[in-house]
Amino acid sequence: MGDYRHKKKYGQNFLKNKKVLIDIIDSIDVKEDDLVIEIGPGQGALTKYLKLYGCNLVCYEIDKDLKRYLDSFADNKTRIIYEDFLKANVLKDISNIKYNNLYVIANLPYYVTTPIIEKIISDGISVKGMVLMVQKEVAYRFSARPGTKDYGAITVYLDSYFDIDLLFVVNRKDFDPSPNVDSAVVRLIRNNKEGLIKNREVFNKLIKDSFSMKRKNIKNNLRNYDLKNIEQILFKYDLSLSDRAENIPLEAFIEIANNIH
Ligand code: SAM
């Protein structure tokens, strides 16, 4: 847009397809008394449509050179914060806002996708849902089902917080400039599985260990664990120690983790 020079280091590929922008916003049911955090508004392509909902809006943009596009969006319900989201004190920034549900919307630079989700979880930001544009392959991994090649540690980790759907694939031509990869939009809606996990650290370590060597089976990857106990749990799910982690559903991982003493 105009004479702006896109910064590759910030992943600045701006969305220019109006239908995609509207489909992203429409994929969650935002109400006036909700709060939306937009990460990386860029020149405001999504921000413009988000404003139509009249919701509370807090946008984090790392690049101050975009002020000239974004400042005009600021008003009593919209705040633009020029800061790296990964370093922001989000809970403090939103502490004065009264809202019902909290959503995150972002067309993310690909290299920060996972750190951003991890920050949202570890900072205890109580999101009800997130709609994220991510690299297509990452979207496949996030939304994979057990028994498929894309199902991995990140899938199980995210499944333990969110129900995840891949909504649609976005053509690289829909961005300015076009990135070298295809993208897809995923929707993550908070589920209640987190409460089923007795010890988060134990659970996270179990998934990391289970997928540590992708081609090895559970017996090999978890050889330092109580395999007898794990075998009994796997049996209930029609699985055995010779299965690979990619066949094990979240519920079985939770049961195994909850039985590690
Ligand atoms: N939302 C806009 C759109 O859809 O056209 C821009 C998307 S562009 C892919 C990513 C945006 O995120 C850029 O404006 C970039 O400057 C910003 N960004 C990159 N890293 C960031 C970070 N760590 N915190 C906040 N914004 C960031």
Side-chain angles (χ1 to χ4, degrees):
M1 212 199 279
D3 59 354
Y4 183 77
R5 286 171 73 95
H6 298 81
K7 298 193 184 76
K8 222 177 163 177
K9 67 170 174 175
Y10 293 143
Q12 290 181 349
N13 304 95
F14 299 141
L15 249 177
K16 58 178 186 184
N17 182 326
K18 192 172 165 187
K19 181 171 182 331
V20 174
L21 289 161
I22 292 172
D23 285 349
I24 291 177
I25 312 272
D26 274 355
S27 66
I28 44 168
D29 188 19
V30 177
K31 302 272 190 321
E32 273 192 19
D33 58 354
D34 290 334
L35 166 61
V36 175
I37 295 178
E38 188 191 355
I39 307 167
Q43 294 177 329
L46 278 166
T47 323
K48 188 169 85 185
Y49 291 102
L50 272 169
K51 293 281 293 183
L52 301 176
Y53 285 90
C55 57
N56 299 287
L57 186 57
V58 175
C59 305
Y60 289 91
E61 173 54 62
I62 198 168
D63 184 4
K64 289 194 181 68
D65 287 349
L66 290 163
K67 262 171 104 51
R68 60 182 154 134
Y69 299 98
L70 293 173
D71 274 353
S72 60
F73 289 109
D75 58 24
N76 62 336
K77 285 189 99 174
T78 302
R79 194 171 157 207
I80 317 284
I81 299 176
Y82 295 96
E83 192 180 3
D84 180 345
F85 179 79
L86 291 172
K87 296 187 183 146
N89 186 341
V90 180
L91 291 181
K92 186 161 167 259
D93 293 338
I94 63 173
S95 61
N96 289 332
I97 304 171
K98 284 199 176 62
Y99 59 87
N100 186 20
N101 292 314
L102 169 55
Y103 298 99
V104 168
I105 292 194
N107 169 10
L108 294 176
Y110 301 130
Y111 54 89
V112 287
T113 305
T114 308
I116 279 178
I117 298 174
E118 282 171 348
K119 177 184 168 68
I120 289 166
I121 292 171
S122 65
D123 280 8
I125 302 166
S126 56
V127 280
K128 175 162 189 207
M130 302 200 260
V131 180
L132 309 175
M133 170 91 72
V134 300
Q135 191 174 333
K136 188 173 78 181
E137 289 70 23
V138 173
Y140 288 155
R141 257 187 273 141
F142 283 5
S143 57
R145 302 286 176 251
T148 64
K149 70 171 173 42
D150 289 314
Y151 186 76
I154 187 71
T155 324
V156 183
Y157 172 77
L158 290 177
D159 281 349
S160 70
Y161 293 99
F162 302 101
D163 293 334
I164 305 172
D165 285 307
L166 191 159
L167 298 183
F168 50 89
V169 170
V170 182
N171 195 298
R172 55 187 85 184
K173 291 200 193 84
D174 289 331
F175 296 89
D176 176 31
S178 290
N180 298 326
V181 292
D182 287 320
S183 306
V185 175
V186 281
R187 180 175 54 202
L188 297 86
I189 299 292
R190 199 96 189 197
N191 60 30
N192 54 10
K193 310 244 168 86
E194 206 186 331
L196 305 174
I197 298 169
K198 279 196 208 154
N199 184 322
R200 175 50 70 173
E201 268 175 44
V202 169
F203 176 81
N204 287 353
K205 183 169 183 323
L206 172 74
I207 346 175
K208 197 165 159 247
D209 291 342
S210 301
F211 286 93
S212 58
M213 280 177 283
K214 262 216 115 180
R215 305 194 63 80
K216 299 239 159 147
N217 60 23
I218 282 296
K219 194 174 177 174
N220 282 301
N221 280 340
L222 298 184
R223 61 186 173 282
N224 297 326
Y225 287 70
D226 175 358
L227 283 174
K228 234 183 153 39
N229 194 11
I230 295 175
E231 188 174 29
Q232 280 169 7
I233 295 169
L234 287 177
F235 185 72
K236 291 199 237 167
Y237 294 86
D238 261 346
L239 296 164
S240 77
L241 293 174
S242 351
D243 274 290
R244 289 185 188 156
E246 67 193 33
N247 292 318
I248 301 179
L250 170 69
E251 288 67 26
F253 277 119
I254 294 178
E255 199 173 334
I256 293 170
N258 286 350
N259 282 285
I260 292 171
H261 303 291

